[in-house]
Amino acid sequence: MKLSFFSILLALGLFCSRTAVAQQQPAPQTAVLNHIAVYVTELKRSADFYTSVLKLQLMEEPFKDGKHVWYTLGPAGQLHLIQGALQPVNPNKNEHLCFSVVSIDEFIAGLNKQKIHFEDWGGGANKVTLRVDGVKQIYFQDPDGHWIEINDERKGK
């Protein structure tokens, strides 16, 4: 069977277009963080804390029922505070929210100004943990006892 130059080009074109379409198919979906919800006992107190201590930016929330406050975390997602917890929590420090700042010293100065207790990983008051990779970190709790880590991983970015 003799193939013409045209039929070879047509076959090659079909193969290439099928390959291109196959390569354009989206990869399987991977999950990305959308939001973190923190259940709190007193919404106003917690919102004041997250706004004044962490300087998080408020965003519009759709419920408008006085039981929700939402913050943007930029590309990382959102933080939702939700009114309704019956009592503060007592979690292990391993269960924490972590935020990075450029200067941990400036952040600590702000905590000191607001008289907010912080500690290192081992529980040493007013001390800073130095991770093996050189990142400094501190820990403190929000008004309901949720642990928060602040580190200076952003300093080099």
Side-chain angles (χ1 to χ4, degrees):
M1 173 181 209
K2 203 175 196 187
L3 294 175
S4 71
F5 180 70
F6 176 74
S7 59
I8 292 172
L9 283 178
L10 180 62
L12 183 61
L14 286 174
F15 172 77
C16 290
S17 66
R18 283 189 188 145
T19 303
V21 167
Q23 290 174 349
Q24 292 174 5
Q25 296 299 320
Q29 290 285 334
T30 54
V32 295
L33 180 65
N34 179 272
H35 71 270
I36 298 166
V38 177
Y39 208 32
V40 300
T41 57
E42 294 179 39
L43 186 62
K44 181 177 179 351
R45 179 182 67 169
S46 292
D48 289 347
F49 178 87
Y50 281 87
T51 300
S52 67
V53 175
L54 295 173
K55 311 286 189 237
L56 297 182
Q57 182 182 349
L58 286 164
M59 60 183 289
E60 188 173 343
E61 56 88 6
F63 301 106
K64 303 193 185 348
D65 59 5
K67 295 180 181 178
H68 299 83
V69 171
W70 288 13
Y71 295 96
T72 180
L73 300 177
Q78 303 167 5
L79 175 67
H80 299 177
L81 300 181
I82 304 170
Q83 171 76 40
L86 299 178
Q87 60 189 17
V89 295
N90 187 20
N92 184 290
K93 197 183 286 183
N94 280 304
E95 186 178 325
H96 61 269
L97 300 173
C98 180
F99 298 91
S100 294
V101 297
V102 175
S103 171
I104 201 157
D105 294 328
E106 286 180 29
F107 191 86
I108 288 171
L111 290 178
N112 289 334
K113 188 184 265 187
Q114 296 181 60
K115 297 184 180 6
I116 296 173
H117 168 82
F118 71 92
E119 58 190 52
D120 64 8
W121 179 254
N126 302 315
K127 293 189 177 179
V128 177
T129 298
L130 182 62
R131 284 192 336 209
V132 295
D133 59 359
V135 171
K136 295 177 184 175
Q137 41 188 189
I138 60 169
Y139 297 85
F140 57 96
Q141 291 176 286
D142 77 0
D144 281 285
H146 300 282
W147 282 102
I148 298 171
E149 173 189 336
I150 299 293
N151 67 40
D152 67 352
E153 197 164 4
R154 283 185 57 201
K155 71 177 180 253
K157 296 184 175 156

